[in-house]
């Protein structure tokens, strides 16, 4: 079981803490969309506004979009929206469009 923390406006709109048992990060995003309609639309709006995301899985930040498909095991996840022009905490900023496309195209 993982704890998924959505920070900032993302958490304000869709819930700050989630307890779930998902295989991958993409599965977590699908679950949130099923429970809170509008999540996918919000992510698309973020992409249009230039907002990207820092995603921390366990003790490490995602460095590549392909990591969205890695097994989570029991790693907790923190998703932080990063406004356009800002720099992320440690990892590569992940565009919302990558999350959306990969999550719903599979």
């Amino acid at each position: 079981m993982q704890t998924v923390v959505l920070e900032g406006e993302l958490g304000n709109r869709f819930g700050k803490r989630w307890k779930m048992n998902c295989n991958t990060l993409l599965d977590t995003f699908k679950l949130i969309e099923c429970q809170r309609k509008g999540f996918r639309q919000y992510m698309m709006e973020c992409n249009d506004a230039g907002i990207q995301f820092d995603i921390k899985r366990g003790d490490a930040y995602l460095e590549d979009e392909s990591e969205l498909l890695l097994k989570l095991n029991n790693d907790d996840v923190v998703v932080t929206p990063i406004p356009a022009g800002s720099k992320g905490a440690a990892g590569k900023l992940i565009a919302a469009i990558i999350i959306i496309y990969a999550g719903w195209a599979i």
Side-chain angles (χ1 to χ4, degrees), residues 47-76:
N47 188 70
D48 292 343
I51 297 170
Q52 295 181 320
F53 298 88
D54 254 342
I55 302 174
K56 186 176 180 185
R57 179 180 157 254
D59 293 329
Y61 287 89
L62 265 64
E63 295 291 334
D64 187 279
E65 290 85 359
S66 66
E67 293 182 56
L68 293 167
L69 298 172
L70 293 178
K71 296 281 185 199
L72 282 178
N73 301 318
N74 289 325
D75 290 339
D76 291 338

Side-chain angles (χ1 to χ4, degrees), residues 6 16 18 32 39-40 55 61 75 78 82 84 91-92 100 103-104:
L6 303 179
K16 295 182 185 286
W18 292 76
I32 294 169
F39 180 76
R40 182 178 185 205
I55 302 174
Y61 287 89
D75 290 339
V78 178
I82 306 296
K92 181 177 178 184
I100 293 162
W104 282 273

Side-chain angles (χ1 to χ4, degrees), residues 82-96:
I82 306 296
S86 298
K87 292 189 176 187
K92 181 177 178 184
L93 295 177
I94 306 296

